[in-house]
Amino acid sequence: MNLPFTYKLHTPSQMEPGKKYPAVFALHGIGYNEEDILALVEDLKEDFILLGVRGHLAYENGYAYYYMKEYGKPERVRFDASIQLLTSFIDYASFTYPIDPAKRYLIGFSQGAVLSMSLALVLGDAIRGVGAMHGYIPAFVKDEYPLKPIADTSFFLADGQFDPIFPVTIGRENDEYLRQHSSSVTYTTYPVGHEISPENQRDLVKWLHQDSLKGGEASRGAS
């Protein structure tokens, strides 16, 4: 398969034959790379399969999954393409590695958070949970995309009290919208700007670990 993305993979050091593992697909912010976002969940590397996905577009000293007309307004053609490419990548990774299809998680910061929440709405219960930090859901995703039920998808939402790019009003909108559709939403505002604090990181890792322990393997749909 000719993959559109470069990615970094961490698997447990002592993998059990025949066992399926929960997986985290980590999406970085614009101008960053897969190493930055993957570092947030390094403490889970013995229990999860971790995949840091690098954006396929160059941006300043890092990468992007799409470009923007302005903040809050993605360039639609590239955004739509990234949703399709990431969906295909999740399928590929789920087939290639021993990933439990009932325990696939997306985490993202900024642009990665935008994509993580959007992918959850598109893929429905094929995604077990989303950790979205400092992002939003584009209006065209809510209004024009074919959305699937997310009642059983869990969400960990985080934003910054002093974020100059995405103010807390956007975080509250995410929380309100997702609570209308999901039965499990955790939302926290941290006293930071457009960044992920150590407390946010600890809470994210704790949430992923605890959520992954709920239930056993289930027959969730393929993405």
Side-chain angles (χ1 to χ4, degrees):
M1 180 178 181
N2 186 20
L3 292 176
F5 299 109
T6 296
Y7 66 100
K8 184 166 184 178
L9 172 73
H10 283 305
T11 58
S13 58
Q14 300 293 328
M15 296 184 73
E16 300 177 25
K19 180 178 178 178
K20 298 285 189 179
Y21 290 83
V24 173
F25 295 84
L27 308 179
H28 59 77
I30 190 167
Y32 292 85
N33 62 45
E34 72 281 8
E35 299 274 1
D36 300 314
I37 190 70
L38 205 55
L40 295 178
V41 290
E42 187 177 2
D43 288 349
L44 296 172
K45 64 183 179 182
E46 292 304 321
D47 299 304
F48 283 69
I49 291 174
L50 306 176
L51 300 105
V53 185
R54 179 189 297 176
H56 56 297
L57 304 171
Y59 186 86
E60 296 181 350
N61 295 322
Y63 302 91
Y65 305 95
Y66 61 87
Y67 297 132
M68 296 175 293
K69 297 177 182 178
E70 58 186 271
Y71 278 110
K73 295 184 178 180
E75 196 278 306
R76 180 69 184 268
V77 173
R78 284 195 170 97
F79 185 93
D80 291 349
S82 282
I83 290 291
Q84 294 174 2
L85 291 170
L86 286 165
T87 297
S88 296
F89 179 79
I90 292 168
D91 281 338
Y92 160 80
S94 300
F95 177 79
T96 304
Y97 304 108
I99 291 173
D100 184 346
K103 295 182 180 179
R104 293 183 289 193
Y105 293 86
L106 300 168
I107 68 164
F109 169 71
S110 196
Q111 186 175 101
V114 175
L115 285 166
S116 294
M117 289 186 285
S118 299
L119 281 164
L121 293 173
V122 170
L123 300 178
D125 65 3
I127 300 301
R128 167 61 201 171
V130 173
M133 296 159 284
H134 302 259
Y136 64 95
I137 305 170
F140 62 78
V141 171
K142 299 176 186 176
D143 299 336
E144 300 176 33
Y145 273 30
L147 306 183
K148 293 183 179 179
I150 55 170
D152 296 328
T153 303
S154 301
F155 290 86
F156 172 92
L157 307 177
D159 61 15
Q161 182 180 354
F162 309 111
D163 190 334
I165 299 173
F166 301 135
V168 292
T169 53
I170 292 177
R172 291 174 188 145
E173 288 174 7
N174 294 335
D175 181 43
E176 181 179 356
Y177 176 82
L178 291 171
R179 285 183 187 277
Q180 294 173 16
H181 303 280
S182 169
S183 60
S184 179
V185 179
T186 299
Y187 169 52
T188 305
T189 296
Y190 297 90
V192 295
H194 194 66
E195 60 190 292
I196 299 173
S197 68
E199 183 182 6
N200 186 169
Q201 179 184 3
R202 287 193 297 269
D203 290 346
L204 172 67
V205 169
K206 181 179 179 181
W207 174 80
L208 284 164
H209 177 71
Q210 292 180 341
D211 194 86
S212 71
L213 295 177
K214 296 176 183 177
E217 280 194 41
S219 299
R220 287 176 177 266
S223 64

